[in-house]
Amino acid sequence: MTRVFSGVKPTGHLTLGNYLGAMRQWAAVDQHRSDALFCVVDLHALTVDHDPARVRRLSRQAASLLLAAGLDPGLCTVFVQSHVDEHARLSYVLECVATDGEMRRMIQYKEKAARERERGGSVRLSLLTYPVLMAADILAYGTDEVPVGHDQTQHVELARDLAVRFNQRYGHTFVVPRATNPAVAARVMNLQEPASKMGKSDDVGPGIVYLLDEADVVRKKVMRAVTDSGREVVYDREERPGLANLLEILAACVGGEPAELAEAYDSYGALKKDTAEAVVEVLRPVQRRHQELCADPGYVEGVLRKGAEKARGMARPTVDAAYRAIGLLPPVNADR
């Protein structure tokens, strides 16, 4: 079977963008058609200043929401990145294959480093090198496909480059992965700033719909969404980004094409009302299941424990092979 790997980073509460752009696809399609692994990539949350207790809390919440979104441990592997040592083991080996120039060309590094400097903070080395850790996340499992948003495609391209380079220099070791992007709502935008992604790292903001927002909060945020000049409801991502964002969200919730849905509306108010109700209905079963899982933390812990055991067994042969290929001496009397 095709092997799929993807993950969520616990740097903030998961958003509508995470669900429509990734999690729903994982549950509805990817776990059924492939040998799929889905991971809470908590090591990536350490690349910026953070509260340790908050990272732990958000990691538990992210794991519960992945299950609430429909991931079935009987069909896929759900685990936490730091519970599987092979991620960190392989990351250093790949750092020995990557170049400084590659890291500094990463768009997200440039943007995040600039924001950190503007705040007067220092840029952690891990922020520069975390794309290599992401490559290790992917390559450790012989991944064929990585379902990601468009903003993460550059990182998958790096994983491809590192896999090819390693294979050429040290012998064939890694599967060369490819990125896959959902056709609709691959990148849900901020309701107040439609030129910016609806990012979970933003702690507050009326333009961000969180998966655990109450229904009235969702309605208020959508009804206050920024639209564009003019009265006609048309789908035009370039000229009418605010309106296009609402139409794409509605399309992702109810089905159909944004341009066709636009034809049914003659006012922004009606579109906003229908979009708000569609979002509320999409989130309702996720929130209900999340409440059930919160009442049974032992179940979630068991899923993560078994998932890590399975993931470890899948990754270890590849990582051990990479260690041998690059020239590291095997441990004496090792069981593996």
Side-chain angles (χ1 to χ4, degrees), residues 71-209:
L71 293 186
D72 182 350
L75 298 174
C76 65
T77 305
V78 181
F79 66 105
V80 176
Q81 179 190 32
S82 64
H83 295 176
V84 180
D85 293 344
E86 277 64 30
H87 291 255
R89 288 180 64 211
L90 183 56
S91 182
Y92 180 74
V93 167
L94 294 179
E95 283 187 16
C96 298
V97 179
T99 68
D100 178 76
E102 285 176 315
M103 297 300 98
R104 297 188 186 279
R105 286 195 296 271
M106 291 288 129
I107 294 172
Q108 289 209 355
Y109 169 72
K110 293 179 181 178
E111 294 175 348
K112 292 181 180 180
R115 287 198 297 267
E116 193 64 30
R117 293 189 184 101
E118 288 174 1
R119 289 195 292 260
S122 58
V123 179
R124 301 186 180 191
L125 178 61
S126 57
L127 184 63
L128 177 66
T129 60
Y130 93 90
V132 178
L133 176 58
M134 184 180 293
D137 299 338
I138 296 166
L139 299 182
Y141 297 99
T143 302
D144 298 296
E145 295 181 6
V146 187
V148 292
H150 292 288
D151 59 321
Q152 293 292 334
T153 300
Q154 186 185 35
H155 290 153
V156 181
E157 288 301 316
L158 174 67
R160 289 175 55 85
D161 291 343
L162 294 181
V164 170
R165 189 178 306 154
F166 191 100
N167 290 346
Q168 289 175 342
R169 291 181 180 176
Y170 305 112
H172 184 79
T173 305
F174 298 116
V175 173
V176 180
R178 61 184 179 275
T180 58
N181 303 119
V184 177
R187 198 178 191 199
V188 177
M189 311 306 282
N190 189 299
L191 295 174
Q192 292 297 316
E193 302 175 18
S196 301
K197 178 185 174 183
M198 187 182 284
K200 62 181 177 298
S201 297
D202 301 316
D203 291 334
V204 294
I208 306 164
V209 176

